[in-house]
Amino acid sequence: MRKTVIYFFYSALLLSLASACTNIIVTKGASKDGSTMVSYSADSFTFYGELYHFAAAVYPDDAMVDIHEWDTGKYLGRIKQARQTYNVVGNMNEFQVVIGETTFGGGKNFITAKGS
């Protein structure tokens, strides 16, 4: 019975990840040849095939950036621009620094397994 509950729990967990943004990260200590790998999947079909590019730049000290809500485009305010930015393709800059995010829907996707 315990193995069945554990199997069900992990199967349900994997299925729930299909509706969430997910990262798979392999560190150099976990890969056979010391490579570091990052994979990202977005749960939005509208992002399929998009690869963003932001060119490196140096900004004046008083430069500001408008902030907009990602989904709606609603204006949220302004923040001070960083003095220098780096060339970015996707989620990685020119120094191979990567950022990712993982979402989990919580209540609607959260599964608990009970049993002995």
Side-chain angles (χ1 to χ4, degrees):
M1 175 67 175
R2 182 175 173 91
K3 286 183 181 180
T4 302
V5 170
I6 291 171
Y7 176 75
F8 173 77
F9 175 76
Y10 284 113
S11 297
L13 180 63
L14 288 173
L15 286 173
S16 70
L17 291 176
S19 64
C21 298
T22 305
N23 294 299
I24 297 175
I25 302 168
V26 179
T27 63
K28 64 182 179 179
S31 63
K32 185 174 183 176
D33 66 354
S35 297
T36 301
M37 295 169 259
V38 177
S39 174
Y40 173 76
S41 66
D43 62 349
S44 172
F45 65 88
T46 60
F47 293 136
Y48 181 74
E50 291 186 31
L51 187 61
Y52 296 100
H53 173 252
F54 301 94
V58 176
Y59 295 92
D61 289 334
D62 60 348
M64 300 292 283
V65 177
D66 291 339
I67 304 300
H68 297 269
E69 188 174 284
W70 181 266
D71 294 330
T72 66
K74 177 184 172 187
Y75 176 75
L76 299 175
R78 300 181 85 193
I79 61 172
K80 187 170 171 36
Q81 170 67 56
R83 177 82 173 119
Q84 179 179 1
T85 60
Y86 300 105
N87 191 49
V88 175
V89 175
N91 292 341
M92 182 175 13
N93 75 14
E94 62 192 273
F95 298 101
Q96 298 180 343
V97 175
V98 178
I99 187 170
E101 57 89 17
T102 302
T103 54
F104 183 70
K108 70 178 185 173
N109 294 324
F110 189 71
I111 298 170
T112 58
K114 295 181 180 179
S116 56

